[in-house]
């Protein structure tokens, strides 16, 4: 399946590099006809609360009028003591116009916008280096 992104309605400065990365991952999968939402999950299978590693990332896109739009981009990390659990560490929620960069509370998306380019550059570099050995898609 070819993904054509709606780059005119972006609420964060998503680059063509990230769009190309997601399109490539989608082309490697069998996406059912009629799919309206794709959720990409990028995982480092060795990531743990004790040893660290690359934080899991989830990206959701939805098709609207033949063009794909970003719903959210979320990175998770282990948080809490004495029983750490995976929780949102970084969240760019375009559907709700909110953003989160831990440990700050949720706020308006424009308030965390400056952090987005750094996050995206790192994510693409990690993916290119093979840091995420589990890449899965869910379709709806």
């Amino acid at each position: 399946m070819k993904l054509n992104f709606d780059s005119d309605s972006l609420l964060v400065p998503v680059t063509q590099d990230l769009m190309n990365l997601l399109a490539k991952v989608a082309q490697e999968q069998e996406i059912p006809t009629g799919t309206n939402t794709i959720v990409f999950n990028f995982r480092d299978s060795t990531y743990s609360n004790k040893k660290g590693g690359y934080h899991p990332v989830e990206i959701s896109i939805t098709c609207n009028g033949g063009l794909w739009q970003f719903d959210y981009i979320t990175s998770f990390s282990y948080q809490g003591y004495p029983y750490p659990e995976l929780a949102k560490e970084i969240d760019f929620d375009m559907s709700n116009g909110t953003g989160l960069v831990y440990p700050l509370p949720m706020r308006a998306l424009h308030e965390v916008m400056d952090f987005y380019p750094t996050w995206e550059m790192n994510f693409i570099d990690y993916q290119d280096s093979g840091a995420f050995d589990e890449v899965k898609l869910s379709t709806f």
Side-chain angles (χ1 to χ4, degrees):
M1 167 182 275
K2 182 165 174 36
L3 300 181
N4 295 312
F5 286 94
D6 180 4
S7 55
D8 293 335
S9 68
L10 293 171
L11 296 180
V12 296
V14 176
T15 67
Q16 192 62 48
D17 291 340
L18 180 58
M19 292 179 215
N20 291 343
L21 186 154
L22 297 178
K24 180 181 178 212
V25 170
Q27 286 177 341
E28 295 169 354
Q29 305 288 321
E30 190 169 322
I31 308 292
T33 304
T35 294
N36 290 317
T37 301
I38 303 173
V39 178
F40 299 81
N41 287 285
F42 297 86
R43 303 284 187 261
D44 166 8
S45 62
T46 64
Y47 177 61
S48 72
N49 64 319
K50 293 183 180 179
K51 295 182 181 179
Y54 295 94
H55 297 181
V57 172
E58 184 171 292
I59 300 173
S60 177
I61 60 175
T62 300
C63 191
N64 186 6
L67 295 174
W68 291 90
Q69 299 173 329
F70 285 82
D71 297 321
Y72 62 84
I73 298 172
T74 306
S75 178
F76 300 87
S77 67
Y78 280 104
Q79 299 170 27
Y81 179 82
Y83 305 107
E85 62 185 9
L86 278 176
K88 290 181 181 180
E89 178 184 47
I90 300 166
D91 186 41
F92 303 101
D93 187 342
M94 283 71 90
S95 294
N96 294 310
T98 58
L100 168 88
V101 178
Y102 181 81
L104 302 174
M106 191 69 73
R107 52 192 57 222
L109 192 56
H110 72 274
E111 294 181 49
V112 298
M113 196 73 65
D114 290 345
F115 183 68
Y116 179 81
T118 301
W119 176 87
E120 184 187 285
M121 179 183 65
N122 288 335
F123 172 74
I124 291 171
D125 285 347
Y126 298 154
Q127 174 63 14
D128 288 346
S129 71
F132 300 108
D133 58 348
E134 294 179 0
V135 179
K136 297 180 181 175
L137 274 66
S138 300
T139 58
F140 308 94

